[in-house]
Structure formats: C-alpha cells, structure tokens
Amino acid sequence: MSKPFNDVFLKACRKEKTPYVPVWYMRQAGRYQPEYRAIRQKYSFFEMSEIPEVCAEVTRLPVEQLGVDAAILFADIMTPLKHIGVDVEIKSGIGPVIANPIRTEQDVSRLGELDPEAHVPTILEAVKILNQQLSVPLIGFAGAPFTLASYMIEGGPSKNYHKTKGLMYAAPSAWHALMQKLGDMTVVYLKAQIAAGAHAVQVFDSWVGALNEQDYRTYVAPIMRYIFNELRTTGVPVIYFGIGAGHLLEEWNRLPVDVIGLDWRTSIHSARSRGVDKALQGNLDPSLLLGSWELIEQRAKEILDQGMEQPGYIFNLGHGIFPDVKVETLQKLTSFVHEYTSR
Ligand code: CP3
C-alpha cells in the first residue's frame, strides 16, 4: 500500500497553514550517509545521476532514513553545464573544477544551448521514477547564473571571485551575454524537470553574496527576474537560496519568487522585520550539528518559535549537511521539528 501524499511542504511554500512545520535538508543525500559512500565508491559523481535507478535511490534514501517532508533530486548545479561545452569534473573535497574556463566574449559565444530531452534524459527519467515511488514532494533544482558563472570563470571554487567580477566590470556586454545564456539554460532545465514531475524547484545562488546591492541590481537582478517570471508560468513554488546574501534581502523580496532560503547569519525575525513577506526557509547553522543535543535543540527551538509566528515557514539548515555529521543527529532533529511544531 502506498502512503497518502504529504503536501505539507508545498502548503508552507504557498504560505498556507500547515499541521506542523515541514523540514528537509540541503545536501540530505551525501557523504554523511554510509549508504551514499558505498554507492559513491562504485561511480564517479556524475555517473550517479546519469543512471536513473541510482539517482532515484540516492534521492530516496534520506526521505526513508530521516523522515523529511521533501526529497531533492540528486544531481549537481554543474550537471547541465557539461552539455553546453563546459569541461567540468567534481573533485571530492574540492568541488567543481573546470578545464576550460570562460574568460572572453568569444568563450561565451562558443557555449551551446541545453536541450534537456537530448542532453539530460536520465535525470528526467529519474524524476519520473521518483514520482512513482515517493509520497513526499520532489524538489528539482538548478544553479543561478552568477554562481554557475563564478565556477566557469574562476575554473573552480574561489574566495574572492576576483576574475568573475573582473569580467563583469571590464566586459559588461560579455557578462550580460553569459547571464542570458545561463538564464535560458536554467529556465529550460527547470521547466523540463517540472514537466517530468518536480513539485517545486530551488535555485541555488550560493555565492552571489559576493556582490553589493548596487552591483546585484545592475548585473544579476534582471536575469533572476527573467528566470522567475518564466518559472511562474508553471505554477510550482520556486525557492531562491544564497549564502552570505543577507544584505540582498530587500532586492530578493522584490523578485517574483515564492520562498527565500536564509543562511544562518540572518534570523527569521530580522528578515521579517526588514519587510520580507515571502515564505522563508532555513536556517540552523550546519556546523551546530556537531554540538551537544541540548544545544541543537535549544537553537532549533529558537528558530522554530520565530518561524511559526506566521504561515509560510520551512525548517532547513543554513547550508548543506557536512560529511562528518551523524545520521542519528539528523533523525533526532527531524523528529524534534515535527513533534515540537505539531498542534
Ligand atoms: O542537496 C541534495 O542532497 C541534492 C544534491 C545536491 C548536490 N549539490 C550534490 C553534491 C545539490 C542541490 C547540490 C548543489 C550545489 N553544488 C551547490 C549549491 C548549494 C551549496 O552547497 O552552496 C553548489 C555550490 C555546488 C557545487 C559543489 N558540488 C560543491 C561545492 C561540492 C562539494 C565539494 C566537496 O567535496 O565538499 C559539490 C559536490 C557534491 N554535490 C557532493 C554532493 C553530494 C559531494 C560529492 C562527492 O560525493 O564526492
């Protein structure tokens, strides 16, 4: 017998009343799970999402193991880039590394277009398989243009995004052409995930906090507005997340997006007191999961008390789960969130 569909997460995205606060975790499929590590030994990172059954299994595992209210498709923000001419590899412990960084207008013009049915059929197949198997919503996702561009331009992870901003300031027409190409890719990729059955999507703009408000408005906000307007036509909730981007909240609140994902630096109270009227998601510091259970519970309570003051709140971490966190800690936290907020 299949379980009835749990739509608590989707209700919270739409700011509707829920029987309890829904919870899921960024990077809920990952190296903290012994089962993930075992599967990962057999495949390269990208192979895992290229085999639909493996992708579906890895996506499903944390739902069964932790009891979370949503699944997130197993892939990476870099996955579609391979198909538009970016030579990317995921190096364990480092992150995405690019062999042919984008540095000139010519490099930008050489990038191709994503055709999801032709380029990522296995990911769309995994979405369909998951829809048969899951009784919680499936979150599709993509990287946002600034964050993708930062890897493409730097050639890998970066601390200061100097080359990225260098291109932005020195060659604005190349920059805007790159944003448009990546924006179009993000739209077709997410629309294909939604057509295959994703119930919501999250756009990861992890590194955009490197920009100040003025530059965000000039160089990034127009493409984000374009992406979110396009996604709005699908009717599924859209979440926008970034790290160290608290100073951009007023800008984000003006975008046509449903949910804002906060990192641990900005409290739910302070976001709301600054006029943010979207649904909110977050934001326990992922490193706090190494602290005592008493500390974890106390901090989770503080966040939940703020979150529950209004409908439209989803519990999550402020960033992804680190590999050294115990599965049991996340199981305990998930049960706690459900029990503490059930009325
Ligand atoms: O959240 C999930 O469970 C879904 C899968 C998912 C992954 N990456 C799997 C992954 C999602 C949503 C992402 C998003 C992602 N990837 C972001 C945005 C969110 C964030 O973390 O800021 C970014 C910036 C990336 C780029 C990337 N890919 C990084 C920084 C890393 C980690 C490098 C490391 O080894 O610590 C990756 C690799 C990656 N993506 C892993 C996983 C499970 C670990 C890779 C492995 O198994 O070796």
Side-chain angles (χ1 to χ4, degrees), residues 24-31 36 40 45 48 72-78 90-96 141 147 151 204 206-207 241 243 319-320 323:
W24 69 279
Y25 304 108
M26 289 184 279
R27 286 281 163 82
Q28 64 189 20
R31 284 165 295 177
Y36 174 92
R40 178 74 168 84
F45 182 84
M48 290 172 66
I72 181 159
L73 181 66
F74 188 80
D76 194 75
I77 59 168
M78 306 305 284
I90 302 273
K91 296 221 165 121
S92 202
I94 301 172
F141 75 93
T147 293
Y151 285 110
F204 286 93
S206 303
W207 314 131
F241 169 76
I243 298 154
H319 193 185

Side-chain angles (χ1 to χ4, degrees), residues 77-78 80-86 102 107-108 111-114 142-153 164 167 174-190 203 205 219 223-224 226-227:
I77 59 168
M78 306 305 284
L81 290 177
K82 292 205 300 174
H83 306 283
I84 67 162
V86 181
I102 304 291
D107 294 338
V108 175
L111 293 171
E113 279 177 29
L114 186 76
F146 180 92
T147 293
L148 295 175
S150 78
Y151 285 110
M152 291 163 73
I153 297 166
T164 307
L167 183 81
W175 175 263
H176 285 295
L178 179 58
M179 290 295 102
Q180 191 60 51
K181 280 207 170 176
L182 295 174
D184 286 331
M185 183 189 81
T186 302
V187 167
V188 297
Y189 185 43
L190 289 177
V203 179
D205 212 349
Y219 297 104
I223 198 66
M224 297 316 298
Y226 165 77
I227 292 170

